Amino acid sequence: MRLGTAMLAGVIWFNSSLVSKCAASSEKPPEVMLRILFEACRVRVQQTGKFPSGLRDLAGVLAENQRRNMPEGLEFHDPDAPDNRLFRASPLGSRTPCLRLCLRQDQWLNVAYTGWIYRSKLYWQSEYVDLIPRPFANPDLLRRDCRAIPARAIPRSPECGPGQIDLVPHCNAIPTGPWFYRPADDGAGHMITNGEKNPPGFHDRIASGLYRDNDILFDVRGAIQLDGLVSETYQGIRWYRSYPTNITGIVAARTASQLHLLTGAIGTAKPRAVVAFLRLHFASGETALLPLRYGEEIASAEDSCVLANRIYPAAGAPRDRRIEYSLDHACLQNPRPMDPISTIDFVSGLQTSHPYIVAITFE
């Protein structure tokens, strides 16, 4: 679904003098044309109670020459359509468009229900993957659960202490279920096209929200997935942005000599490519970068080349070619062990592998 949700309401920043000047000109910027069109749609709703489905519904609101001069490629979508109502209830909220204009291939202008105009690729939801990942911005899944991803995590175990960093406020997936392409089941028995049927193979180990490996306890309730390389030329693992490229401000507020990560990746990369890194912000004001290199600290389930502790899948285990999630225990040395770490950023290296972390523990 290209268009989004929300009721046509709010105040539009509509400059009548600017429109008058542009109306006298043969060359009208597309943004101005969309402002004119949006204002006409508002009038139509006030008159009839219905959002127009096309330019012909605006007869009597827009002059015939104005309708004739509107650019081609316009799309109308009723803010009160069922899917738009679902988007409105989700974290996307007021950003959902009711009008769209195709400028050129994969370049669109969107008009939100408040009158705000912004540019995007074909999938406008890709602009807001920091609010809700695009795989979850699906009407069937929103019908199941419109909440933000952090609200879906289970409560933190009392066994966790300050050394188990709480990733849930920043998570964009729940690691006990499939997430990368979207779940196949909408929760009501309906299957979603191109969805994943199976949860990660390690999901049963972390179902309680805790995992212990080599005497290191992990708080495992939310995953942070980042995008790697997204190709616009149809050469790459995916074509459209679905997840953020960085998550910042993960609260730590303590010292550590080592950082233990439960991490993994979707898709392969070149050996030693920096798939992602942690940026540590210290109380002193200093920063440090800790890389996650492909084949050393992190790798996809397709490879058994991880030099760090591979938890899942086991070496030599038969695997389906359909997407599968890896789980590695990476241990990173802190270069400033006596300087408290205030916050952590998780940043993609923009390789062909898409990294994620499900837990961080300080030691």
Side-chain angles (χ1 to χ4, degrees), residues 34-83:
L34 281 181
R35 294 184 193 183
I36 296 172
L37 184 61
F38 177 77
E39 183 70 5
C41 290
R42 291 187 67 214
V43 173
R44 173 61 153 65
V45 171
Q46 291 170 354
Q47 291 177 344
T48 67
K50 295 181 180 180
F51 192 81
S53 60
L55 286 172
R56 63 180 176 275
D57 290 341
L58 294 172
V61 179
L62 283 177
E64 181 179 351
N65 67 318
Q66 286 181 307
R67 298 199 311 274
R68 186 170 57 248
N69 291 331
M70 283 290 168
E72 297 182 0
L74 284 165
E75 291 186 359
F76 294 71
H77 200 53
D78 184 356
D80 282 329
D83 59 327

Side-chain angles (χ1 to χ4, degrees), residues 173-186:
I174 303 300
T176 49
W179 72 80
F180 189 68
Y181 283 124
R182 83 186 67 165
D185 185 356
D186 69 350

Side-chain angles (χ1 to χ4, degrees), residues 101-162:
L101 172 63
C102 182
L103 299 176
R104 54 187 178 275
Q105 184 179 9
D106 206 25
Q107 291 290 327
W108 291 72
L109 275 179
N110 308 277
V111 185
Y113 82 101
T114 57
W116 175 48
I117 298 178
Y118 62 94
R119 295 187 179 228
S120 74
K121 303 292 187 182
L122 171 64
Y123 294 100
W124 62 268
Q125 297 96 326
S126 294
E127 297 295 314
Y128 305 109
V129 294
D130 56 328
L131 299 173
I132 187 169
R134 194 167 66 82
F136 293 91
N138 174 284
D140 290 330
L141 291 178
L142 291 178
R143 193 174 294 111
R144 172 184 177 181
D145 197 338
C146 281
R147 293 176 299 168
I149 301 298
R152 308 180 193 188
I154 63 175
R156 182 173 166 97
S157 170
E159 293 186 45
C160 293

